[in-house]
Amino acid sequence: MKKWYAVLGNPIHHSISPRMHEAWFEKYKVDASYVPILVRAGDLQRTVDSLKLLGCSGFNVTVPYKEEIVPFLDDLDSSAIEAGAVNTVVNRDGYLIGYNTDGKGLLAGISGLTEDKRVLVLGAGGAAKGIVAALKSRGIQTIGIANRTMDKALQLAEWAGGEAISYKEAERVFSTFDIVIQTTSVGMDEAMSPVNFEGWHPSMMAIDIIYSPPETAFLKKAREQGATTMNGLSMLIGQGALAFELWTGIFPDQDYCKETIFSS
Ligand code: NAP
């Protein structure tokens, strides 16, 4: 029987996940389809129950439901427990299991990420939580967390490990880090950066998890001052590939996805 998968969010029209998974279904001849579902505020539990009833084989969860969905699932994988959020759900015989592939998806795209690397994370929202949890699991010893709302940086640092610092402090010390990961939503809609870092150098790497626009103001400054840069596209494809593997047992070709979908 044909299987079907979904992504739940609000808004959802912008999601690239349907095109990404449909492309892989076609490449690997998996008889399945993938649909975006707009979930209005207050409708999440009913939607999850309906998906179960209708035999949905699995689904992704995006903004703003990654944390809210947790109580509506039957079990959580350790990746979701560590991140405190779910972006992928697998339906095993009517039993919904939540996973988090966001952080691992990002880390898979960073070459040379050894335990001794010093990593600064900007932001303390849902995405930052998954990334900090994945950095901890990867054995990274030095993690700085800077956020506009200091309390949230402190909470994340206490929950996952790491040291909370203010943006002001981060602007002073950021060049002592090897990798800086920008996880806030600043830069999506306007050419703005949450911080004003001066003094990037070529041994540093700047990562922005935003992929549209492809180069945010944060990345542009880092590139112009000689740092290596990476945008959020490889995280998007990386988390999707891990979800696809959980659903089908196939780890898909990520370059194929980049070439067929994102080059157009
Ligand atoms: P979230 O939970 O709402 O967190 C938002 C973060 O942005 C918080 O740290 C918030 O700081 C900060 N922020 C918002 N407006 C700000 C401003 N004007 N100045 C300074 N900081 C500001 O969102 P999220 O789920 O973490 O997502 C964050 C971004 O990551 C979004 O752009 C999303 O599209 C992107 N993302 C990309 C991928 C991918 O696959 N590439 C995956 C997940 C998310 P406060 O705590 O101070 O409010």
Side-chain angles (χ1 to χ4, degrees):
M1 201 173 85
K2 186 170 179 131
K3 292 188 169 184
W4 68 283
Y5 298 86
V7 55
L8 315 184
N10 186 359
I12 202 62
H13 64 275
H14 67 288
S15 175
I16 289 169
S17 294
R19 285 165 64 205
M20 182 164 68
H21 287 286
E22 293 277 3
W24 282 327
F25 289 147
E26 199 180 321
K27 179 175 171 59
Y28 295 103
K29 303 196 177 358
V30 176
D31 188 17
S33 59
Y34 186 108
V35 290
I37 298 179
L38 175 71
V39 181
R40 295 189 201 283
D43 280 350
L44 185 61
Q45 180 163 17
R46 282 198 303 160
T47 306
V48 172
D49 290 345
S50 305
L51 292 180
K52 211 171 177 177
L53 192 70
L54 296 171
C56 180
S57 298
F59 53 93
N60 286 127
V61 186
T62 187
V63 178
Y65 297 122
K66 290 184 184 184
E67 292 169 73
E68 198 179 324
I69 195 155
V70 167
F72 307 138
L73 302 176
D74 299 305
D75 203 358
L76 296 179
D77 174 67
S78 58
S79 58
I81 295 170
E82 281 161 15
V86 166
N87 78 325
T88 302
V89 176
V90 179
N91 184 347
R92 290 208 204 291
D93 304 321
Y95 198 72
L96 299 183
I97 307 165
Y99 295 77
N100 193 304
T101 67
D102 275 339
K104 211 172 154 195
L106 172 70
L107 267 47
I110 307 175
S111 55
L113 182 63
T114 45
E115 291 179 4
D116 58 329
K117 294 287 186 219
R118 295 169 55 83
V119 182
L120 174 62
V121 176
L122 305 178
K129 267 177 124 179
I131 290 166
V132 170
L135 288 167
K136 290 300 285 183
S137 316
R138 189 72 169 262
I140 304 300
Q141 302 293 317
T142 308
I143 304 173
I145 301 162
N147 192 46
R148 176 181 60 175
T149 309
M150 195 59 192
D151 275 358
K152 282 171 69 180
L154 286 163
Q155 274 173 28
L156 180 53
E158 193 182 343
W159 169 79
E163 191 193 343
I165 56 175
S166 66
Y167 275 157
K168 210 169 170 168
E169 175 72 354
E171 284 176 357
R172 205 175 59 77
V173 301
F174 91 99
S175 60
T176 63
F177 288 87
D178 303 296
I179 299 171
V180 183
I181 307 176
Q182 196 306 100
T183 78
T184 78
S185 42
V186 182
M188 273 175 87
D189 304 320
E190 303 168 80
M192 282 175 63
S193 172
V195 285
N196 185 26
F197 288 170
E198 293 289 346
W200 290 94
H201 50 83
S203 60
M204 293 181 78
M205 182 172 198
I207 299 172
D208 198 321
I209 68 167
I210 292 172
Y211 57 87
S212 177
E215 187 179 67
T216 57
F218 169 80
L219 282 191
K220 183 168 184 278
K221 169 69 77 66
R223 176 179 57 77
E224 286 172 350
Q225 294 189 358
T228 305
T229 61
M230 183 174 114
N231 72 15
L233 188 56
S234 73
M235 173 175 174
L236 177 78
I237 299 175
Q239 62 77 29
L242 291 163
F244 191 87
E245 186 181 30
L246 285 167
W247 294 331
T248 65
I250 301 165
F251 189 73
D253 182 345
Q254 297 179 51
D255 289 338
Y256 171 82
C257 192
K258 276 186 199 148
E259 284 154 20
T260 54
I261 302 177
F262 300 104
S263 58
S264 58

